[in-house]
Each structure stands twice: as C-alpha cells, then as structure tokens.
Amino acid sequence: MSSCQEFVDTPPDAIPVRGFLHRPAKPLGDALILTHGAGANCNAPLLLALAEAFCDAGVTVLRCNLPFRQQRPYGPPPRGSAERDQQGLRAAIASIRRQTSGRIFLGGHSYGGRMASMLAAAEPSLVDSLLLLSYPLHPPQKPADLRTAHFPSLRTPALFVSGTCDGFGSIDEITSALKLIEAKTELLPINDAGHELMTKRNRDDLPKIVVEAFRLFARTRTHS
C-alpha cells in the first residue's frame, strides 16, 4: 500500500524542508515536489488530490510548505520573500534526491509554480520537468503587469495547467506567453475552472487528467 507521512529535513547548512511525503506501493523511482499558492499551504485540497493520484501512478510525491509559510501560518508571502522561497525549493529538491533514484519533477500552484519556474530558469539542470498549476501570469484585471521576465531563460520542459475562467491569465494570454519559452511547453486547459482549478464538478476527474497529461508530457513511467 502507498503511504503518507510527515516529512521534516533540517540540515544545518540549508533551509528546513517541511511537508508530507507520499510513497507509492510500487515506486518507479521518479519523484515530484509540489508546493502551494500564496494564500494556502501544502494541505491545499488540490495538492493533496494530485499527490495521491501521482502516488497511485508510482511517483513519490513531496508536498512541502514554502519558507514563508513555515514562518507564518496565514497570509500572503511578505515582500522580498521570493529568493528565500526559491532557496526552500532548492533544499526540497536536495532532500528528495536522497529519497529516490530517478528523475525529479518540480511543481506548484500559482505563486508556488511561479517560484518553481523562476528557480528552474536560474538553474536549468536542477530538475527534469515542471508542472505549473494556474500560473499567475498577471494580477487580476492588470493584464499589463506580466510575470514573464524569466520565461526567455527557462530551459526546463514545462506543462502548464490553467482554468478557462482564471482571472490571473486567460488561455489566450497563457498561449501567447509560452512563445517566450524556448524549452518544450504544453498547455492543458481545464474547462469552466478558475484559479483554484479543482471544482465540485471536476474533483473526481481532474487529478487523473493532470497525471495522464504530465505522464505523456514528461514520458513518465507510471502504472496503468
């Protein structure tokens, strides 16, 4: 049987890693690190559902809290926290490399996905592929305030998953932004979903859809 247990790694020379580790019953060696948006934590329903679905497919999954969330249980990340949050993801990658032997994938919802993509742009060989859920292309109703400065530097393959009703970026806007990225990219639109992606109507199917899309995108070896 697959298992989920609290995970804490506090090396003396790195930022602490805290979250939950999902170990599949039949691990295939690959691992996925998932993190949360600005107003959530690693127990967000979307992350939990995806972690369980990927684990069922043979992928080890670490749901982790970003450093800003470790320091404050509620509220958005304070100004200037992005660099430390990216360092936290780097520490999580190092931790998970000690747990698995295969490829390492990095993903996150909204702010967490943005941090993952910025880290990957700065360090192209750090992970094998990205899973970016509801990438916050711009603040709602501010389409000119684009968060794409690092896109031309991104060399890591990235699967973007976005709702067709997301106020942080329409499907057309995301499609246009992806042209800035030289690496392999793909956009998976989720019909009638907003920024949270998971709805009462799609909660049973969404995790399976995302796992299958990412499996094909990254050519992940998963159990059928």
Side-chain angles (χ1 to χ4, degrees):
M1 295 178 61
S2 61
S3 65
C4 174
Q5 61 186 33
E6 187 172 4
F7 182 87
V8 178
D9 188 6
T10 56
D13 57 345
I15 293 175
V17 179
R18 293 186 172 92
F20 295 87
L21 187 65
H22 296 251
R23 293 184 181 275
K26 297 180 180 179
L28 296 171
D30 294 335
L32 169 65
I33 297 163
L34 279 176
T35 195
H36 53 85
N41 58 36
C42 70
N43 290 319
L46 175 64
L47 297 194
L48 181 57
L50 287 174
E52 291 175 345
F54 273 101
C55 189
D56 288 344
V59 178
T60 299
V61 181
L62 173 63
R63 289 183 287 123
C64 64
N65 279 329
L66 290 167
F68 88 88
R69 183 56 73 226
Q70 295 182 36
Q71 294 179 332
R72 55 192 297 188
Y74 304 105
R79 186 179 298 274
S81 67
E83 182 176 351
R84 182 172 173 82
D85 289 336
Q86 290 170 50
Q87 291 175 355
L89 287 178
R90 186 185 297 109
I93 292 166
S95 291
I96 208 67
R97 284 196 188 281
R98 294 191 286 269
Q99 304 291 324
T100 58
S101 59
R103 295 173 295 173
I104 304 294
F105 307 124
L106 180 61
H109 179 247
S110 192
Y111 175 82
R114 184 185 177 200
M115 293 300 100
S117 66
M118 292 175 70
L119 176 61
E123 301 183 41
S125 62
L126 196 59
V127 295
D128 293 277
S129 294
L130 297 169
L131 174 60
L132 306 179
L133 309 159
S134 298
Y135 185 86
L137 189 64
H138 58 71
Q141 301 181 350
K142 295 182 179 180
D145 190 7
L146 292 174
R147 295 156 171 166
T148 57
H150 63 289
F151 276 19
S153 300
L154 192 56
R155 299 291 184 270
T156 305
L159 173 65
F160 288 72
V161 183
S162 295
T164 58
C165 302
D166 192 341
F168 286 79
S170 69
I171 296 300
D172 286 344
E173 288 174 323
I174 294 287
T175 299
S176 178
L178 295 192
K179 296 176 183 178
L180 299 171
I181 302 174
E182 293 187 13
K184 174 185 176 183
T185 62
E186 187 173 312
L187 173 59
L188 173 64
I190 305 299
N191 291 331
D192 302 320
H195 195 61
E196 295 305 314
L197 273 184
M198 196 162 65
T199 68
K200 291 182 179 179
R201 184 170 297 181
N202 72 20
R203 66 177 52 180
D204 292 333
D205 297 326
L206 178 67
K208 299 174 185 177
I209 291 171
V210 173
V211 169
E212 179 62 14
F214 192 72
R215 183 188 71 84
L216 294 174
F217 177 79
R219 299 189 183 278
T220 310
R221 303 178 303 276
T222 58
H223 298 307
S224 57

